[in-house]
Amino acid sequence: MTEAERIRILIADDHAVVREGLRAVIQSRPDMQVIGEAADGAAAVDRARELQPDVILMDLLMPRKSGVEAIGDIIRENSRARILVLTSFSDDDQAFPAIRAGALGYVLKDSLPEELVQAIRAVHRGEPSLHPTIARKLMAELGGARPAEPREPLTEREIDVLKLLARGMNNAEIAEALVVSKRTVDSHINNILAKLQVANRTQAVLYALRQGLVGLHD
C-alpha cells in the first residue's frame, strides 16, 4: 500500500499520553498514518484546515475551544470532513451536541485497539460508527421529545434503506440486501438526508432509532 492510499489521520486531544497511545495504535496499521496532532480545540481547527486529513479523532473536553465548538468550525469550513469523537463517561453529555455539529462517529477512550481501528475505517468510508453505550446515552438524552417531521415523507424503499443504515451496513451491503445497484442506494441515502434535513448518516440513524424503525440490538 502506497502512502497516498493510507487513511490520513489528525489526532486532537489535550493529553499527551492519550495522543501517544492513539498514535501507537494507528501507526501499527499499514492502511493508516498520523499526519498531525493538536492539543486543544483551536489548534484542531487550524490543523484540520492546514492538513485536510481523511479522518479527525476529536476529544470533547479541551482547552481554548471545546471539541463540540471545534467540530462545528471544521464542518462549516469543510462539510465533507469526517470526524470521530473520542469520549469518556465524564463527557458523554456532549455527545448529542457533537452529532448535531457534524460528528460521524463515537468511540470510547477505553475501547479495544481493534474497535478504534474499525471505527476509523467506518468513518473514513462515510459510515456512522456509534458505540452501543453511547447510542443508548444519546437515546436517553433525546428522551421523549417528538422528532422533527421530515421535509417530505420517506418512501417505503427509503425506510428500508434507513433501517439497514441503522444496522451498520455500508452502501454495497445495502445494495446486495435489497438487490439493487450501489448507485441506487447512493441516491436513496442522499434523498433521505435531504428529507430528514440532517447532515450525515449518523444523524439519520438516530432518527431511525427515535422513530422506532430499528432497535439498538436489531
Side-chain angles (χ1 to χ4, degrees):
M1 176 173 289
T2 67
E3 184 170 329
E5 294 173 319
R6 295 188 182 123
I7 302 173
R8 303 165 60 255
I9 299 165
L10 169 66
I11 300 172
D13 194 290
D14 60 328
H15 293 97
V17 172
V18 173
R19 295 198 305 273
E20 183 177 345
L22 291 170
R23 177 181 284 274
V25 171
I26 292 166
Q27 298 288 70
S28 69
R29 299 311 195 270
D31 62 332
M32 300 179 182
Q33 61 176 323
V34 175
I35 61 169
E37 298 181 9
D40 60 67
V45 175
D46 293 339
R47 296 292 276 166
R49 182 187 305 116
E50 172 192 353
L51 299 173
Q52 295 293 305
D54 298 319
V55 174
I56 302 167
L57 297 184
M58 181 74 71
D59 186 21
L60 291 180
L61 297 180
M62 289 190 291
R64 291 216 294 164
K65 182 173 290 190
S66 73
V68 173
E69 291 173 318
I71 291 167
D73 288 349
I74 292 169
I75 292 295
R76 277 189 288 274
E77 291 187 14
N78 177 14
S79 63
R80 298 178 62 84
R82 291 173 177 174
I83 301 173
L84 176 60
V85 168
L86 297 165
T87 188
S88 65
F89 289 115
S90 64
D91 57 25
D92 56 23
D93 60 321
Q94 298 188 57
F96 189 54
I99 278 190
R100 287 193 298 183
L104 191 56
Y106 276 79
V107 63
L108 295 178
K109 287 187 176 181
D110 60 357
S111 295
L112 296 174
E114 194 56 37
E115 292 174 332
L116 170 64
V117 168
Q118 292 302 323
I120 291 172
R121 289 174 179 151
V123 168
H124 180 244
R125 293 191 299 265
E127 300 165 12
S129 181
L130 285 175
H131 189 283
T133 300
I134 295 301
R136 292 188 192 96
K137 289 182 177 293
L138 287 171
M139 293 302 296
E141 184 171 342
L142 290 171
R146 181 180 178 81
E149 292 296 326
R151 179 177 294 169
E152 299 176 39
L154 298 181
T155 66
E156 287 188 20
R157 182 42 61 96
E158 287 167 352
I159 290 174
D160 290 339
V161 171
L162 184 54
K163 288 179 179 179
L164 297 178
L165 270 180
R167 290 169 186 160
M169 290 189 180
N170 61 37
N171 290 22
E173 291 168 337
I174 293 172
E176 182 177 353
L178 298 179
V179 195
V180 296
S181 70
K182 183 175 176 295
R183 180 175 295 181
T184 297
V185 173
D186 294 342
S187 177
H188 283 317
I189 291 175
N190 288 335
N191 289 338
I192 289 168
L193 298 183
K195 288 182 177 181
L196 299 184
Q197 303 178 67
V198 297
N200 57 45
R201 298 159 66 112
T202 301
Q203 294 176 358
V205 166
L206 285 176
Y207 176 89
L209 288 167
R210 292 182 72 185
Q211 291 287 61
L213 296 176
V214 67
L216 290 175
H217 301 291
D218 288 356

